[in-house]
Amino acid sequence: MSLHKELWTAGEESFAAIVDHPIPAGISAGDLPKAVVARLVAIDSLHLEDYARALALIAAKAPTLGDLAHFAGIAMGAARSAGPKRQAMLGILGEEPPVPPAGDRPYGAFLASAGRDLGFAEALAAVLPRLWFHAELGKELQRRSSPDPVYRAFIDVHLHRDYLPVVEATLALVDALGARVSAAERSAMAARFAEGARFELGVWESAR
């Protein structure tokens, strides 16, 4: 089995829970209060900043210059888009920016720790659900669509057309890495991916 499929298996239960979560379901049905989605956007934008910082640390650990350029590019894109994307989504929803929740951000701490303390392979596995789940959920939301034109516009902004090639390129790098790591390292990567996947589910839970 390719490494990216092995990692997906480790996190697929969390992704299935996200797909079945009341917020995506409400977006697709068109009956979810816009304030709930605005709260999700505010929470998620904080984690996007954490993700960008973690990716920058991971890029510095990359084994090749090509890998360094790839992950530094994703980090730069996330950092540059965090604010504008948040404002665009809130503008579509017609909602004022909610006050972000106070207190510690366990997911942010997890991402920071992964980028700072883990080796390249495990750190990449830890942050990968953030990149990959966003793409897969975006495709699912596009497939479902929504009777609400506001939510249809929101879905279009959620998944930019240039995002999917980045995900595909990253998964190809993951599979190339899989040819070089040991069975023990693959197992450790799967555990980190599963943990990151649970944190991704937690983002949706925290917005309810």
Side-chain angles (χ1 to χ4, degrees), residues 55 58 71 119-129 170 173-174 177 189:
L55 272 173
I58 291 168
F71 291 106
F120 175 76
E122 283 190 55
L124 172 56
V127 304
L128 188 58
T170 303
L173 291 176
V174 168
L177 181 63
M189 290 177 71

Side-chain angles (χ1 to χ4, degrees), residues 37-207:
V37 184
R39 186 161 58 249
L40 173 69
V41 169
I43 294 169
D44 194 62
S45 65
L46 294 176
H47 294 306
L48 184 56
E49 296 175 20
D50 298 328
Y51 167 72
R53 294 178 187 278
L55 272 173
L57 294 172
I58 291 168
K61 299 178 181 183
T64 70
L65 287 177
D67 291 346
L68 188 158
H70 178 79
F71 291 106
I74 299 175
M76 185 180 297
R80 286 178 170 173
S81 68
K85 186 172 183 178
R86 175 175 179 266
Q87 292 305 316
M89 286 182 160
L90 292 174
I92 290 169
L93 295 168
E95 294 285 335
E96 292 296 319
V99 177
D104 295 334
R105 299 201 300 273
Y107 190 14
F110 168 77
L111 293 171
S113 176
R116 182 183 64 244
D117 302 329
L118 298 177
F120 175 76
E122 283 190 55
L124 172 56
V127 304
L128 188 58
R130 175 81 193 179
L131 178 81
W132 198 356
F133 283 14
H134 182 87
E136 295 302 321
L137 181 63
K139 289 191 287 187
E140 177 64 18
L141 288 173
Q142 288 181 342
R143 184 189 68 78
R144 295 178 181 178
S145 192
S146 176
D148 186 331
V150 169
Y151 280 140
R152 289 200 298 273
F154 177 87
I155 290 168
D156 287 342
V157 171
H158 174 87
L159 184 60
H160 192 275
R161 64 181 180 275
D162 294 335
Y163 189 78
L164 293 179
V166 173
V167 177
E168 292 168 1
T170 303
L171 296 180
L173 291 176
V174 168
D175 285 342
L177 181 63
R180 304 194 300 270
V181 297
S182 67
E185 288 173 312
R186 289 173 78 108
S187 179
M189 290 177 71
R192 297 293 183 185
F193 186 90
E195 189 174 3
R198 289 191 292 271
F199 274 117
E200 276 295 305
L201 173 58
V203 173
W204 294 84
E205 289 292 325
S206 65

